Amino acid sequence: MKNKEKIAIYPGSFDPITNGHLDILKRALSIFDKVILLLAHNPNKNGRFTPKERIEMMKEATKDLDNVVVDMSDELSVDYALKHDATHMIRGLRAVSDFEYEFQLSSANRFASKDIDMVFFMANGKYSFITSSAIMELYEGGKDVSELVPPCVIKMLKKR
Ligand code: ADP
């Protein structure tokens, strides 16, 4: 019997994508055959970057990684996962403060579908303080954030 491809989605706002996100993505690729990096777009929430800009940065930042697909969806992430044959959803945990939100999210997802399970990766210590908003604050405060985000994000920040 042919083994079925193991597919996971990694949903998030990626506003913008950071090296913390990329670290989680690469670790997920060591377990799954394919990971869909999904801009889970909430049309009622205004982001810092437009969905188009975020997707552009997500694509550029992952162009050298095999088995990554970048996509966007405004439906529930579990529904997207079911439609795309994914069995798992990837998330990252930086601190205890993330736990509460992620635990609530995983319970809501379980309520929505029992067929999609969540897989959590603990943040790499060197990236554990990185949030998209911290990046923006540091950058706007004149600090060099090139160690924290991929080069395409720096390019986009300079363009704004
Ligand atoms: P959301 O708005 O859905 O939380 P984010 O883009 O902020 O979207 O984060 C997506 C996922 O990546 C979340 O599970 C978050 O905890 C995780 N994450 C974000 N930054 C990091 C980081 N530096 N290290 C590990 N995980 C991270």
Side-chain angles (χ1 to χ4, degrees):
M1 195 173 74
K2 198 168 171 273
N3 278 342
K4 217 173 150 234
E5 208 186 15
K6 270 281 182 227
I7 304 172
I9 64 167
Y10 179 12
S13 315
F14 304 108
D15 192 23
I17 189 162
T18 70
N19 287 349
H21 291 128
L22 289 169
D23 182 66
I24 300 289
L25 173 66
K26 286 176 194 160
R27 288 157 65 194
L29 284 167
S30 71
I31 301 179
F32 293 94
D33 299 312
K34 179 168 118 184
V35 177
I36 305 172
L37 189 63
L38 185 70
L39 174 55
H41 178 51
N42 179 347
N44 300 319
K45 216 168 114 184
N46 275 334
R48 296 177 199 98
F49 291 93
T50 65
K52 194 166 162 267
E53 287 172 327
R54 284 186 250 171
I55 287 283
E56 192 182 317
M57 291 184 277
M58 289 156 74
K59 283 192 173 156
E60 178 66 23
T62 58
K63 70 176 192 309
D64 295 328
L65 296 174
D66 289 333
N67 308 321
V68 175
V69 172
V70 173
D71 200 3
M72 177 167 79
S73 166
D74 52 17
E75 66 190 324
L76 282 177
S77 294
V78 283
D79 286 341
Y80 178 95
L82 289 167
K83 277 189 202 156
H84 292 80
D85 296 324
T87 51
H88 292 79
M89 194 182 293
I90 308 293
R91 299 284 291 177
L93 290 171
R94 279 160 296 193
V96 181
S97 50
D98 277 344
F99 178 82
E100 224 165 303
Y101 174 71
E102 296 293 343
F103 184 69
Q104 184 265 337
L105 180 70
S106 75
S107 306
N109 283 337
R110 176 127 308 241
F111 172 81
S113 170
K114 305 236 173 328
D115 294 329
I116 305 294
D117 210 346
M118 315 251 318
V119 175
F120 294 93
F121 288 89
M122 295 302 289
N124 181 327
K126 69 178 181 202
Y127 300 133
S128 59
F129 72 97
I130 305 181
T131 60
S132 299
S133 40
I135 301 284
M136 296 307 290
E137 264 178 55
L138 288 167
Y139 180 78
E140 279 158 11
K143 299 295 169 201
D144 177 8
V145 292
S146 54
E147 269 177 53
L148 312 178
V149 291
C152 58
V153 171
I154 301 286
K155 232 187 335 184
M156 186 71 82
L157 285 167
K158 286 188 177 152
K159 230 167 65 179
R160 274 152 65 98

Coordinates of all heavy atoms in Angstrom, one line a residue, residues 10-14 20-21 24 91-94 98 101-102 123 127 130, ligand 1:
Y10 N 0.4 25.6 8.3 CA 0.9 26.5 9.3 C 0.2 27.8 9.1 O 0.7 28.6 8.3 CB 2.5 26.6 9.2 CG 3.1 27.5 10.2 CD1 2.5 28.0 11.3 CD2 4.5 27.8 10.0 CE1 3.1 28.8 12.2 CE2 5.1 28.7 10.9 CZ 4.4 29.2 12.0 OH 5.0 30.0 12.9
P11 N -0.9 28.0 9.8 CA -1.6 29.3 9.6 C -1.1 30.4 10.6 O -0.6 30.1 11.7 CB -3.1 28.9 10.0 CG -2.9 27.8 11.0 CD -1.5 27.1 10.8
G12 N -1.3 31.6 10.1 CA -0.9 32.7 11.0 C -1.2 34.0 10.2 O -1.6 34.1 9.1
S13 N -0.8 35.1 10.9 CA -1.0 36.5 10.3 C 0.2 36.9 9.5 O 0.1 37.7 8.6 CB -1.2 37.5 11.4 OG -2.1 37.1 12.4
F14 N 1.4 36.4 9.9 CA 2.6 36.7 9.2 C 2.7 38.2 8.8 O 2.9 38.5 7.6 CB 2.8 35.7 8.0 CG 2.7 34.3 8.4 CD1 1.6 33.5 8.1 CD2 3.7 33.7 9.1 CE1 1.5 32.2 8.5 CE2 3.6 32.4 9.6 CZ 2.5 31.6 9.2
G20 N 11.5 33.7 13.4 CA 10.9 32.8 14.3 C 9.9 31.9 13.6 O 9.9 30.7 13.8
H21 N 9.1 32.5 12.7 CA 8.1 31.7 11.9 C 8.9 30.7 11.0 O 8.5 29.6 10.9 CB 7.4 32.6 11.0 CG 6.4 33.5 11.6 ND1 6.3 34.9 11.4 CD2 5.3 33.3 12.5 CE1 5.3 35.5 12.0 NE2 4.7 34.5 12.7
I24 N 10.2 27.6 12.9 CA 9.1 26.7 13.1 C 8.8 25.9 11.8 O 8.6 24.7 11.8 CB 7.8 27.4 13.6 CG1 8.1 28.1 14.9 CG2 6.6 26.4 13.8 CD1 8.3 27.3 16.1
R91 N 1.6 25.2 15.0 CA 1.7 26.5 15.7 C 3.0 26.5 16.5 O 3.6 25.5 16.8 CB 0.5 26.7 16.6 CG -0.9 26.7 15.9 CD -1.2 27.9 15.2 NE -1.4 29.1 16.1 CZ -1.6 30.3 15.7 NH1 -1.7 30.6 14.4 NH2 -1.8 31.3 16.6
G92 N 3.4 27.7 16.9 CA 4.6 27.9 17.7 C 4.2 28.4 19.1 O 3.2 29.1 19.3
L93 N 5.0 28.1 20.1 CA 4.8 28.6 21.5 C 6.1 29.3 21.9 O 7.2 28.7 21.9 CB 4.6 27.4 22.4 CG 3.2 26.7 22.3 CD1 3.3 25.4 23.2 CD2 2.1 27.6 22.7
R94 N 6.0 30.6 22.2 CA 7.1 31.3 22.7 C 7.2 31.4 24.2 O 8.3 31.3 24.7 CB 7.0 32.8 22.1 CG 7.5 32.9 20.7 CD 6.9 34.1 20.1 NE 5.5 34.1 20.1 CZ 4.7 34.9 19.4 NH1 5.3 35.9 18.7 NH2 3.4 34.8 19.4
D98 N 1.7 32.6 25.5 CA 1.2 32.1 24.2 C 0.3 30.9 24.5 O -0.7 30.6 23.8 CB 2.3 31.5 23.3 CG 2.9 32.6 22.4 OD1 2.3 33.7 22.4 OD2 4.0 32.4 21.9
Y101 N -3.7 31.3 24.9 CA -4.3 31.5 23.6 C -4.3 30.3 22.7 O -5.4 29.9 22.1 CB -3.6 32.7 22.9 CG -4.2 32.9 21.5 CD1 -5.4 33.5 21.3 CD2 -3.4 32.6 20.4 CE1 -5.9 33.7 20.0 CE2 -3.9 32.8 19.1 CZ -5.1 33.4 18.9 OH -5.6 33.6 17.7
E102 N -3.2 29.6 22.6 CA -3.0 28.5 21.7 C -3.9 27.3 22.3 O -4.5 26.5 21.5 CB -1.6 28.0 21.6 CG -0.7 29.1 21.0 CD -1.0 29.3 19.5 OE1 -1.6 28.5 18.9 OE2 -0.5 30.3 19.0
A123 N 9.5 27.6 20.7 CA 10.3 28.6 20.0 C 11.8 28.3 20.3 O 12.1 27.9 21.4 CB 10.0 30.0 20.5
Y127 N 15.0 33.0 19.1 CA 13.9 33.8 18.4 C 12.7 34.0 19.3 O 11.7 34.5 18.9 CB 13.5 33.0 17.2 CG 14.6 32.8 16.1 CD1 14.8 31.6 15.5 CD2 15.4 33.9 15.7 CE1 15.7 31.4 14.6 CE2 16.3 33.7 14.8 CZ 16.5 32.5 14.2 OH 17.5 32.3 13.2
I130 N 10.8 37.2 19.5 CA 10.4 37.9 18.3 C 8.9 37.8 18.1 O 8.3 36.7 18.0 CB 11.1 37.2 17.0 CG1 12.6 37.2 17.2 CG2 10.7 38.0 15.8 CD1 13.3 36.7 16.0
Ligands
ADP1 P1 -1.5 34.7 14.7 O1 -2.1 36.0 14.6 O2 -2.4 33.6 14.2 O3 -1.0 34.3 16.1 P2 1.3 35.0 14.0 O4 1.8 35.2 12.6 O5 1.5 36.0 15.0 O6 -0.2 34.7 13.8 O7 1.9 33.6 14.6 C1 1.6 32.4 13.9 C2 2.1 31.2 14.8 O8 3.6 31.3 14.9 C3 1.6 31.3 16.3 O9 1.4 30.0 16.7 C4 2.8 31.9 17.0 O10 2.8 31.5 18.4 C5 4.0 31.4 16.2 N1 5.1 32.3 16.3 C6 5.2 33.6 16.0 N2 6.4 34.1 16.3 C7 7.2 33.0 16.7 C8 8.5 32.9 17.2 N3 9.4 33.9 17.2 N4 8.9 31.6 17.6 C9 8.1 30.6 17.5 N5 6.8 30.7 17.2 C10 6.3 31.9 16.8

